Amino acid sequence: MNTSQETNQVTPTRPPFDRDHLPPGIDPPGPQDPEALGRYRVVGRIGAGGMGAVYAGVDEAGGCAAVKVIHPQFAADAVFLARFAREVDLVSRVRGTCTATFYDADVRAGTPWLATEYVRGLPLRGHVREHGVLTDGVLLALAVGLAEGLAAIHAAGVVHRDLKPGNVIMSPAGPKVLDFGIARTVDGTALTKTGGLVGTPGWAAPELFEGVQATDRSDMFAWGGMVAFAATGRNPFGTGGADVLIHRTRREEPDLDGVPPELMDLVRRALDKDPDRRPTAERALTELTSRWNATRVQPLPHDLPAHDQTSPPTAGFGPAQATEIVPALLATEWRGITAPEPRRVRRSRRGPVIAVTATAAALVAALVAVWLVVDPSIPGADDPSAAGSDGGGDAAGGEDAGGGENGSGGGEVTVEDGPARVEQARRLALDATGFEAFLGATTGGGEGSESYELYWYEEDPQPVYLQSPEFPGPGHTDVMYLGEGLNDTLFRDTVHLTADPVVGPYYRDPGADPSRTAGVDRERLVHDLDLAAEAEGGVEYLDTSEAPATLLYPPERMGGMDALRGISGHHYSGVYTKEVLASGNTSLGMVEHTFDLWTDDEGYPLLFTVYSEPDYGDGQGPRPGTETVVYVSFNEDVDIEVPDESEIEPARPSTF
């Protein structure tokens, strides 16, 4: 089967990518990647998972697409291929302003593929973290866009079944719903068997945890939670383990404090425990757009919709069709939403990771997964039994994605095994033959409260570790470790009293504190990961997401803010307790630390951030502090210039 909708292929004025410019983190294709898929020339790799891969493709006209392929072993499976063909058929039916557009597919090609719109922008969760909650017209536009997207999906006979902040993209043109109709594996908190659990605890409707088949009203429960999250910045049922979230979803009321009054009633109805009392997506869309249209000086006119014969006849024109109001509403209310611009291609030194941009993370989750699930209660739906029993893997977190053998011989570790994955990240970092990383620490908040340290390590031609701090002040001291004691430790001072920093020579300091050289190199890189692996209450796996940019102003020589943008991967979180020491090694007691860790597909750490509020006993009360390690690369060439012995001073120069 070859399906094509050329009318959907539009070449934008400023394309999201081309051969020489890719969004941050999308890797250039490797030697094993295909050169072309159908009419699309492959210019980048967006990501890969257990069932397939997603590529950035460009056609002859310059049109861009996210092109999904399935792995050869599945393409050779007739049953699997039939399911892929059915997915293509269902995806091609969806027509929505706020859904990712279907472009083309060929399920009979040697490498079967499916091309859809590449959506630029941050996922909803990443946008809220970086820019804050949505308010006023933008919040209304999000609610309308999600309802319109779900209405289009349901009209095609599809149930989303896993709507959550990670698969809604805040594109400059409006919110876009991805991942529609895809059921994940049991490892990813979902079963693909009919009637099984589908979705993500905390967002999935309560009936799904009772073995009831998902319907369009199940999606509307998630819609209500999404709007509440966008308005408040809080998950409607909080955070915690799957069992805790399932209990809250089934037995407790959602947290709606902060949802504006004009949306509260509709959101509350959508989050009703009884699916029969929830509005349909079409009904929610009608309520929202009709209310907005009524406030306009010149409402959009249209004949009374044919399906709304219950309303009394009116003179002249009645209310416009809801779907016709959506473009005007988005054009008016969807303001201030931007997406990262593509940058000139620079090959990754570590190779492909799960997805190093926010958009890529969502696209991988949406496009590498396989199964579409149809709701037989919606007109036009196919019979789910026609495709046989469901099965398959999870795009972002199946066994192939994070559980295979790794370079350190760690054995099989699934992405859902939080403690094992944190320990694996620590082990991989310690076993690396080279690395670059930087750490930023903030105490109290505000300008001047943040300090930074840059770390390099290489084993060849000799083991050497270089630590370079940078913080507000007249100078800083680099430390180079060539061994374990002070005799093998070099120092170098830099003074910032003039426009051009003055860098002094390397020197030894026999009078330095010996404890400064004790296990500082490798252990500093994985600071507290061992404690995180044994977090009280366990380590929670939060699926794939973008890591928030928690640092204020990292120096340009450490990558600046660009080093923090678009870091995405497997997200883990938890809480551990450790003793905190103030200056003079004064103990502040045991302090609770909340951590978030992101790892790539192989298990290497990408970003590790820790938040705590120790009380320094100075009468000011607890002061917030955040420490974030950004891991730039592992196992790549690191160029550290080691001075010749003749260039090393025996003591600190008197001029510094």
Side-chain angles (χ1 to χ4, degrees):
M1 181 182 83
N2 184 288
T3 304
S4 179
Q5 294 181 351
E6 299 290 343
T7 56
N8 284 337
Q9 180 68 66
V10 178
T11 301
T13 303
R14 176 176 287 180
F17 53 77
D18 58 34
R19 180 176 181 178
D20 299 317
H21 298 83
L22 296 175
I26 293 187
D27 295 305
Q32 304 303 318
D33 292 324
E35 294 184 0
L37 293 165
R39 59 190 174 94
Y40 293 98
R41 176 165 45 91
V42 173
V43 300
R45 172 188 277 262
I46 295 174
M51 310 302 286
V54 183
Y55 295 99
V58 178
D59 64 13
E60 291 184 357
C64 301
V67 188
K68 166 188 171 181
V69 300
I70 56 179
H71 289 321
Q73 65 268 33
F74 298 113
D77 186 321
V79 175
F80 188 99
L81 195 58
R83 287 189 171 283
F84 183 68
R86 185 165 175 268
E87 176 190 1
V88 169
D89 178 57
L90 289 172
V91 170
S92 67
R93 299 182 189 181
V94 177
R95 304 283 191 276
T97 300
C98 296
T99 58
T101 305
F102 170 81
Y103 286 164
D104 199 356
D106 190 348
V107 300
R108 294 185 177 180
T111 302
W113 56 273
L114 162 67
T116 64
E117 174 187 8
Y118 176 87
V119 183
R120 298 186 299 167
L122 293 173
L124 174 60
R125 185 177 294 280
H127 181 91
V128 169
R129 282 175 170 167
E130 185 167 329
H131 302 290
V133 299
L134 308 188
T135 59
D136 303 325
V138 177
L139 178 61
L140 171 64
L142 177 82
V144 168
L146 295 182
E148 190 273 344
L150 286 178
I153 292 168
H154 296 163
V158 179
V159 181
H160 192 298
R161 307 214 302 181
D162 198 19
L163 187 65
K164 57 187 177 183
N167 50 33
V168 169
I169 297 296
M170 304 286 283
S171 85
K176 291 278 189 174
V177 178
L178 304 182
D179 206 2
F180 42 85
I182 295 172
R184 301 178 184 275
T185 64
V186 66
D187 311 71
T189 67
L191 294 175
T192 55
K193 294 180 179 178
T194 302
L197 172 62
V198 174
T200 303
W203 302 100
E207 64 268 17
L208 302 185
F209 304 121
E210 299 170 0
V212 177
Q213 186 174 7
T215 68
D216 60 327
R217 307 300 176 91
S218 305
D219 285 348
M220 287 307 296
F221 185 89
W223 175 90
M226 293 277 285
V227 176
F229 169 78
T232 67
R234 302 185 304 274
N235 295 352
F237 295 97
T239 60
D243 54 342
V244 173
L245 294 175
I246 291 172
H247 171 78
R248 291 175 185 164
T249 301
R250 296 179 62 192
R251 305 300 180 193
E252 299 180 8
E253 293 303 310
D255 176 9
L256 301 182
D257 186 23
V259 176
E262 60 270 21
L263 293 175
M264 179 66 81
D265 177 66
L266 187 57
V267 168
R268 197 181 296 280
R269 281 186 282 140
L271 287 165
D272 197 297
K273 306 296 184 189
D274 185 349
D276 292 335
R277 291 200 291 260
R278 298 173 202 150
T280 63
E282 185 178 12
R283 179 62 190 174
L285 180 62
T286 299
E287 288 188 28
L288 292 169
T289 54
S290 298
R291 191 182 310 154
W292 178 83
N293 197 33
T295 64
R296 293 170 56 85
V297 176
Q298 294 182 327
L300 299 176
H302 197 281
D303 291 330
L304 193 67
H307 65 271
D308 191 8
Q309 300 299 330
T310 59
S311 300
T314 58
F317 292 107
Q321 292 268 13
T323 53
E324 296 179 354
I325 296 176
V326 171
L329 188 151
L330 291 176
T332 303
E333 307 293 351
W334 193 253
R335 301 291 185 180
I337 308 298
T338 60
E341 292 297 328
R343 295 182 174 91
R344 183 168 294 279
V345 172
R346 183 182 68 176
R347 289 189 175 275
S348 169
R349 295 184 302 165
R350 181 166 44 188
V353 297
I354 175 173
V356 196
T357 64
T359 305
L363 284 168
V364 170
L367 297 173
V368 182
V370 175
W371 311 128
L372 280 168
V373 180
V374 183
D375 176 12
S377 68
I378 301 178
D382 289 344
D383 180 3
S385 63
S389 61
D390 287 324
D394 179 20
E399 292 180 0
D400 291 344
E405 293 293 330
N406 57 58
S408 64
E412 187 168 350
V413 178
T414 62
V415 294
E416 291 77 20
D417 189 343
R421 287 284 287 191
V422 176
E423 175 56 30
Q424 180 189 49
R426 183 176 190 274
R427 184 176 62 253
L428 288 171
L430 291 177
D431 290 346
T433 59
F435 63 74
E436 288 188 42
F438 71 78
L439 179 148
T442 305
T443 303
E447 187 170 352
S449 67
E450 191 152 319
S451 61
Y452 298 90
E453 292 180 287
L454 183 61
Y455 301 91
W456 292 278
Y457 175 78
E458 66 176 7
E459 288 188 354
D460 187 60
Q462 70 178 97
V464 55
Y465 170 76
L466 179 61
Q467 174 183 341
S468 179
E470 182 161 323
F471 46 83
H476 73 268
T477 301
D478 296 342
V479 185
M480 179 180 289
Y481 300 89
L482 302 173
E484 297 183 356
L486 283 174
N487 287 337
D488 291 322
T489 302
L490 307 180
F491 302 85
R492 179 177 62 183
D493 298 327
T494 300
V495 177
H496 300 282
L497 296 179
T498 60
D500 296 321
V502 179
V503 182
Y506 277 104
Y507 62 91
R508 290 187 171 89
D509 188 358
D513 186 350
S515 65
R516 188 173 183 180
T517 65
V520 68
D521 55 348
R522 304 278 184 136
E523 287 75 9
R524 185 59 171 160
L525 178 69
V526 292
H527 188 55
D528 282 6
L529 276 178
D530 53 342
L531 296 176
E534 299 177 0
E536 298 94 356
V539 178
E540 182 181 7
Y541 176 50
L542 300 176
D543 209 334
T544 57
S545 69
E546 182 187 25
T550 57
L551 303 182
L552 297 179
Y553 37 84
E556 287 301 321
R557 71 190 187 95
M558 299 184 184
M561 288 304 298
D562 287 343
L564 293 177
R565 293 190 179 98
I567 298 178
S568 299
H570 297 293
H571 181 191
Y572 303 87
S573 184
V575 178
Y576 63 86
T577 303
K578 75 167 187 175
E579 183 180 23
V580 174
L581 301 177
S583 59
N585 286 333
T586 302
S587 176
L588 301 181
M590 301 300 290
V591 177
E592 184 176 272
H593 292 64
T594 301
F595 76 88
D596 289 276
L597 169 69
W598 284 261
T599 70
D600 69 9
D601 226 5
E602 296 176 303
Y604 283 93
L606 295 171
L607 186 145
F608 181 57
T609 184
V610 180
Y611 177 84
S612 63
E613 294 187 8
D615 190 340
Y616 289 83
D618 54 4
Q620 298 184 28
R623 294 207 294 271
T626 302
E627 187 172 275
T628 299
V629 182
V630 180
Y631 304 91
V632 180
S633 69
F634 289 101
N635 300 318
E636 300 295 339
D637 292 336
V638 179
D639 188 16
I640 304 177
E641 185 176 352
V642 178
D644 186 83
E645 187 64 32
S646 62
E647 302 174 298
I648 303 172
E649 300 289 336
R652 183 175 186 176
S654 58
T655 56
F656 282 82

